C-alpha cells in the first residue's frame, strides 16, 4: 500500500498570518482577533464579488506588513476562492505582481494551498518565501451556488453560513523564530459523500474528513490523544457529529479533542447560522486568528489540521449528482522558543 503521509524535507515555518472578515464574523467568537473587519461586507466595492477580491488583497497586505516582507521577496503565491475560475483571488491579488498558482479544492483550499506552498519551499533552497491566501464571501457564494439574494429562500436547518472571510499566510524555511511550523502533509482523497443535498454539505464532507483522520492515524501509528487538537475545516454541527461517529466505528475516538472551525467561528447563542460556518475563508481565518496564535503561545503543542471541501458545482447539484468531499491534512507543531 502506498504511503500517503509525507514528512517535509525541512520544517516550513509560518512567518506571519492575517485574517479579514465581515460583519457577521465580527460578531462571532473571534471578532477581536481579526486584523480587519468590514461591518457592511462590501469593503468599499460596488459588488460582493469584487469585495471578495478586496478581502484577499487586504489579508495578504496585512500578512506582508506583519512579517515585514516586501511582495517582491515572495517567490510564489498559492491561492483560491469559491467564485467561478477563482476570479476573486486572481483579480484581487493582481496588484502584488507575485507569480501565482490558482487552486480549487472548495472549502479545503486553505490546507491545499499550505501543502502546495510547503512542497514548493522544499523543492529548492532558492525558494525562500511562499504565500497562501484563500477567501469566501457569503453574498457572492449564495447567488452563485444557491439562489439570488433578493429571493429570500428558506434555509434548511442543516444548511451552513458561508463565511465572509479571508486568511493569508507567509511561509518560509528560515526566520520565524518561535513560530509554528508544518512538519508533515497528507494530500486528501476524493470520497463520495453519498448525498446530492447541497443544503447539508457537512454530512457530505464528513466521510472524507473521517477517511483522512483514520488514514493518518493508522499510517502514523498515533492515537488521537497525540494531538492537542484535531481540527476540521467546516463540517458544522451535523458533519462534525457524523465524522466523529465514522472515526469511532473505525476504532478512533476523537470526540475529546476534535474541533471544527465551522462550529467555532460564530456564536450559536447569538447568531442564526443554522449548522455553522463554511467557505474557503472559514478554516483560513480561524487558523490565522486562533490556532496559530495559540500554538505560538504554547497553549497547543501540535495539531492535526484538515480543511474540508464539498466538491460540487451548481450544474452538478441540479443534475442530482452526489457531492464528493476531500480533506487534505497538515501536521502543525508549535515553534521552539
Amino acid at each position: 500500500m502506498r504511503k500517503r503521509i509525507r514528512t517535509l524535507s525541512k520544517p516550513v515555518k509560518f512567518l506571519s498570518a492575517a485574517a479579514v472578515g465581515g460583519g457577521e464574523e465580527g460578531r462571532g467568537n473571534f471578532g477581536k482577533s481579526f486584523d480587519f473587519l468590514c461591518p457592511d461586507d462590501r469593503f468599499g466595492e460596488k459588488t460582493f464579488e469584487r469585495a471578495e477580491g478586496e478581502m484577499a488583497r487586504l489579508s495578504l497586505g496585512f500578512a506582508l506588513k506583519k512579517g515585514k516582507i516586501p511582495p517582491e521577496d515572495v517567490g510564489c503565491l498559492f491561492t483560491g476562492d469559491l467564485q467561478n475560475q477563482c476570479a476573486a483571488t486572481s483579480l484581487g491579488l493582481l496588484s502584488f505582481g507575485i507569480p501565482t498558482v490558482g487552486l480549487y479544492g472548495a472549502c479545503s483550499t486553505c490546507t491545499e494551498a499550505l501543502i502546495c506552498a510547503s512542497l514548493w519551499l522544499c523543492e529548492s533552497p532558492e525558494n525562500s518565501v511562499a504565500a497562501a491566501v484563500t477567501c469566501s464571501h457569503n453574498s457572492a457564494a449564495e447567488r452563485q451556488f444557491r439562489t439570488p439574494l433578493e429571493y429570500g429562500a428558506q434555509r434548511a436547518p442543516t444548511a451552513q453560513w458561508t463565511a465572509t472571510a479571508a486568511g493569508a499566510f507567509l511561509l518560509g524555511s528560515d526566520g520565524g523564530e518561535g513560530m509554528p511550523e508544518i512538519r508533515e502533509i497528507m494530500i486528501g482523497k476524493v470520497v463520495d459523500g453519498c448525498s446530492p443535498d447541497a443544503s447539508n454539505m457537512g454530512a457530505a464532507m464528513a466521510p472524507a474528513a473521517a477517511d483522512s483522520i483514520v488514514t493518518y492515524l493508522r499510517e502514523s501509528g498515533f492515537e488521537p490523544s497525540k494531538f492537542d487538537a484535531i481540527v476540521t475545516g467546516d463540517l458544522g454541527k451535523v458533519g462534525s457529529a457524523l465524522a466523529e461517529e465514522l472515526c469511532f466505528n473505525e476504532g478512533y475516538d476523537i470526540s475529546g479533542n476534535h474541533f471544527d472551525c465551522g462550529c467555532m467561528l460564530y456564536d450559536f447563542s447569538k447568531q442564526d447560522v443554522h449548522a455553522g460556518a463554511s467557505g474557503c475563508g472559514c478554516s483560513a481565518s480561524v487558523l490565522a486568528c486562533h490556532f496559530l496564535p495559540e500554538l505560538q503561545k504554547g497553549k497547543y503543542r501540535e495539531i492535526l489540521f484538515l480543511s474540508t471541501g464539498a466538491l460540487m458545482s451548481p450544474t452538478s447539484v441540479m443534475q442530482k449528482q452526489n457531492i464528493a468531499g476531500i480533506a487534505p491534512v497538515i501536521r502543525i507543531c508549535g515553534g521552539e522558543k
Side-chain angles (χ1 to χ4, degrees):
M1 181 178 291
R2 65 180 180 273
K3 182 177 173 63
R4 287 180 59 188
I5 299 173
R6 293 287 184 271
T7 301
L8 297 177
S9 59
K10 54 185 177 182
V12 171
K13 293 188 177 184
F14 287 89
L15 304 181
S16 67
V20 169
E24 204 68 35
E25 292 64 40
R27 292 185 286 274
N29 291 318
F30 306 117
K32 294 181 180 179
S33 300
F34 276 75
D35 292 276
F36 182 82
L37 293 164
C38 180
D40 67 1
D41 291 359
R42 290 189 175 273
F43 296 87
E45 298 292 339
K46 293 182 178 179
T47 69
F48 294 123
E49 286 75 16
R50 293 183 67 169
E52 187 173 346
E54 177 64 6
M55 290 164 55
R57 189 191 71 81
L58 287 169
S59 65
L60 181 55
F62 279 113
L64 290 167
K65 183 177 180 180
K66 291 165 74 173
K68 299 180 181 179
I69 297 172
E72 54 269 24
D73 284 359
V74 181
C76 195
L77 169 62
F78 298 87
T79 184
D81 56 84
L82 292 181
Q83 288 187 36
N84 289 333
Q85 286 74 51
C86 297
T89 46
S90 297
L91 299 176
L93 299 172
L94 180 66
S95 62
F96 289 99
I98 302 172
T100 300
V101 175
L103 303 169
Y104 185 82
C107 303
S108 74
T109 307
C110 171
T111 304
E112 182 183 13
L114 291 171
I115 286 176
C116 290
S118 298
L119 292 174
W120 182 84
L121 285 166
C122 292
E123 188 269 336
S124 169
E126 296 179 357
N127 299 340
S128 58
V129 181
V133 181
T134 54
C135 62
S136 54
H137 195 294
N138 180 273
S139 298
E142 284 299 312
R143 60 185 176 194
Q144 175 171 291
F145 287 101
R146 281 169 279 276
T147 59
L149 299 174
E150 297 82 1
Y151 183 64
Q154 195 82 350
R155 299 169 66 238
T158 56
Q160 293 170 245
W161 185 270
T162 304
T164 298
F169 308 90
L170 294 179
L171 303 176
S173 299
D174 299 314
E177 192 69 28
M179 292 294 286
E181 57 189 41
I182 299 172
R183 293 186 182 173
E184 290 180 335
I185 64 166
M186 191 180 84
I187 295 172
K189 183 176 73 175
V190 177
V191 179
D192 188 348
C194 301
S195 169
D197 187 1
S199 64
N200 192 1
M201 293 188 299
M205 292 185 288
D211 175 82
S212 289
I213 294 169
V214 170
T215 298
Y216 181 89
L217 293 174
R218 281 181 177 167
E219 193 170 296
S220 66
F222 294 145
E223 291 297 320
S225 58
K226 162 73 174 176
F227 300 96
D228 298 297
I230 296 174
V231 185
T232 50
D234 55 342
L235 299 177
K237 289 182 177 179
V238 178
S240 292
L242 181 55
E244 290 179 9
E245 182 179 349
L246 291 171
C247 289
F248 185 80
N249 291 342
E250 295 295 327
Y252 295 100
D253 184 359
I254 65 169
S255 60
N257 59 342
H258 172 224
F259 299 87
D260 182 70
C261 299
C263 291
M264 299 174 69
L265 183 59
Y266 300 125
D267 184 343
F268 286 105
S269 67
K270 299 177 182 178
Q271 295 172 280
D272 181 16
V273 292
H274 288 40
S278 66
C280 291
C282 176
S283 62
S285 61
V286 175
L287 177 62
C289 73
H290 175 66
F291 283 107
L292 290 182
E294 295 297 270
L295 280 159
Q296 190 175 3
K297 289 186 292 187
K299 179 176 179 179
Y300 296 128
R301 292 167 300 172
E302 56 184 305
I303 67 173
L304 203 64
F305 186 85
L306 51 150
S307 302
T308 43
L311 304 176
M312 65 176 191
S313 72
T315 301
S316 69
V317 170
M318 288 189 288
Q319 294 177 349
K320 305 299 182 183
Q321 294 186 53
N322 281 353
I323 298 170
I326 192 166
V329 179
I330 54 177
R331 177 185 173 192
I332 309 175
C333 300
E336 296 181 2
K337 302 294 185 181

